[in-house]
Amino acid sequence: SAVISQKPSRDICQRGTSLTIQCQVDSQVTMMFWYRQQPGQSLTLIATANQGSEATYESGFVIDKFPISRPNLTFSTLTVSNMSPEDSSIYLCSVKGGGVNEQFFGPGTRLTVL
Amino acid sequence: QQPVQSPQAVILREGEDAVINCSSSKALYSVHWYRQKHGEAPVFLMILLKGGEQMRHEKISASFNEKKQQSSLYLTASQLSYSGTYFCGTEKSSGNTPLVFGKGTRLSVIA
């Protein structure tokens, strides 16, 4: 299985600021996704990070709020912009591909917005 | 379409068995099962593919009924380490599409 790392692992931010989360995979993968998990809740897909093109966002998530980059097959970033306390969540990078159908998760970034 | 999991929560004594169900209103290609412990990321347990066999991970097994669009996770002779929240993730078509997750089943195993 792919080894996925995320930076930062946690952060406390002030309202109105932005945070960029990095996701690095140790091997090339076909697909990279970003999920959000609010406290005590399930995993909600934010977007699919597409290499070399704009990300595909799910209903309720927009590019201005959650810009995503994917410059190559092993790296992606998610920015949470103009943060409010409602953005306090765990943000998870997830990957699929490389010949297998399983989907794996990174360790997550725990974000608290004050 | 979010799959529906049941039960929402279950408490077991060590050694007891449990079944967690995951159902969808849409035809499914695959069902994936994960366990998440508090403060940690979800950990992949197994995948059930359309037309595939029943899978097993240690003393945990799962089945996939394509006609009913339902998967069941069977935890046998539960151990304390089985405690956590179990999520099913479903995929409607093959290929590189993201999983849609159910709301989870919280399992607590007590001594």
Side-chain angles (χ1 to χ4, degrees):
Chain A
S1 63
V3 176
I4 308 167
S5 59
Q6 284 186 234
K7 290 181 183 178
S9 58
R10 58 177 63 229
D11 208 340
I12 300 173
C13 301
Q14 295 298 318
R15 180 195 299 261
T17 62
S18 298
L19 177 72
T20 295
I21 302 167
Q22 298 179 4
C23 175
Q24 179 73 55
V25 191
D26 69 341
S27 59
Q28 292 186 345
V29 291
T30 309
M31 304 296 285
M32 296 181 79
F33 312 106
W34 287 97
Y35 285 81
R36 180 174 75 181
Q37 187 174 33
Q38 295 178 306
Q41 301 298 310
S42 182
L43 302 147
T44 301
L45 180 67
I46 297 172
T48 299
N50 300 310
Q51 192 217 347
S53 64
E54 195 171 283
T56 304
Y57 290 85
E58 297 299 303
S59 176
F61 297 96
V62 295
I63 187 171
D64 290 346
K65 176 68 176 177
F66 298 101
I68 288 170
S69 78
R70 189 179 174 194
N72 56 51
L73 293 176
T74 64
F75 185 78
S76 177
T77 66
L78 167 74
T79 299
V80 186
S81 303
N82 188 25
M83 289 184 284
S84 66
E86 292 72 33
D87 294 320
S88 297
S89 286
I90 299 173
Y91 292 86
L92 294 143
C93 173
S94 184
V95 305
K96 183 188 267 195
V100 296
N101 201 49
E102 291 91 338
Q103 186 170 325
F104 299 101
F105 284 88
T109 295
R110 185 180 295 270
L111 172 62
T112 301
V113 184
L114 303 177
Chain B
Q1 203 83 11
Q2 184 178 42
V4 177
Q5 284 187 238
S6 63
Q8 290 184 325
V10 60
I11 299 175
L12 297 174
R13 292 200 177 272
E14 269 187 297
E16 292 183 337
D17 303 338
V19 180
I20 300 172
N21 296 307
C22 173
S23 63
S24 173
S25 59
K26 303 282 187 182
L28 298 174
Y29 173 76
S30 67
V31 179
H32 303 227
W33 286 97
Y34 294 80
R35 176 171 60 211
Q36 185 177 33
K37 293 185 179 287
H38 184 69
E40 300 179 8
V43 173
F44 172 80
L45 292 176
M46 64 189 79
I47 178 175
L48 288 302
L49 295 173
K50 184 177 179 180
E53 300 176 352
Q54 184 175 20
M55 300 298 292
R56 176 175 291 276
H57 172 83
E58 298 174 348
K59 289 187 178 179
I60 301 173
S61 61
S63 63
F64 179 22
N65 186 321
E66 297 160 31
K67 289 184 179 179
K68 291 185 178 179
Q69 291 141 210
Q70 178 177 312
S71 177
S72 296
L73 189 71
Y74 307 94
L75 298 102
T76 306
S78 58
Q79 307 167 15
L80 294 175
S81 62
Y82 286 3
S83 294
T85 301
Y86 289 78
F87 292 99
C88 70
T90 57
E91 191 176 26
K92 288 188 295 184
S93 60
S94 64
N96 297 314
T97 55
L99 298 177
V100 177
F101 288 90
K103 291 187 176 181
T105 296
R106 181 171 293 183
L107 177 74
S108 301
V109 181
I110 58 176

